[in-house]
Amino acid sequence: SYSSRQYPIDDFTQPQNLLKLFTEQQKETLIENLSNSMKNIPNYIKERQICHFYRLDNEFAFLLSENLGIDYLKIKELSK
């Protein structure tokens, strides 16, 4: 039977576990692909999306914000 203690209900556990399986090269490729896909969207949308990645993994969010020219300290503040 299903138990929420056995299977946490949140938006971040599953992608966190997946990201842990990635090699450094796979993470770099993902950051590059995301950066290329997001480069032409407004900054407020980039910030909102990077906040989701911040909740997933701080280092990943830092690297993505750096690639996109977004202030990481602002991301940290917005993610509170």
Side-chain angles (χ1 to χ4, degrees):
S1 76
Y2 177 79
S3 164
S4 63
R5 283 178 281 174
Q6 184 179 3
Y7 302 103
I9 299 174
D10 66 55
D11 295 324
F12 300 103
T13 299
Q14 186 176 8
Q16 283 170 341
N17 290 337
L18 178 62
L19 193 60
K20 288 176 187 176
L21 297 175
F22 281 20
T23 65
E24 287 304 311
Q25 180 59 50
Q26 289 170 318
K27 288 179 187 177
E28 288 174 19
T29 300
L30 180 56
I31 289 169
E32 183 179 321
N33 288 339
L34 287 167
S35 297
N36 287 335
S37 296
M38 295 172 65
K39 66 184 173 188
N40 293 320
I41 62 175
N43 280 353
Y44 76 95
I45 295 174
K46 291 177 192 174
E47 291 167 354
R48 188 181 314 164
Q49 186 60 40
I50 296 170
C51 284
H52 290 299
F53 286 113
Y54 181 85
R55 292 178 186 107
L56 176 71
D57 182 271
N58 297 352
E59 181 183 353
F60 190 85
F62 172 77
L63 295 171
L64 184 57
S65 63
E66 189 174 58
N67 271 12
L68 290 169
I70 299 295
D71 181 7
Y72 180 71
L73 295 178
K74 184 175 182 182
I75 297 300
K76 285 177 69 171
E77 187 63 31
L78 292 171
S79 296
K80 288 183 181 182

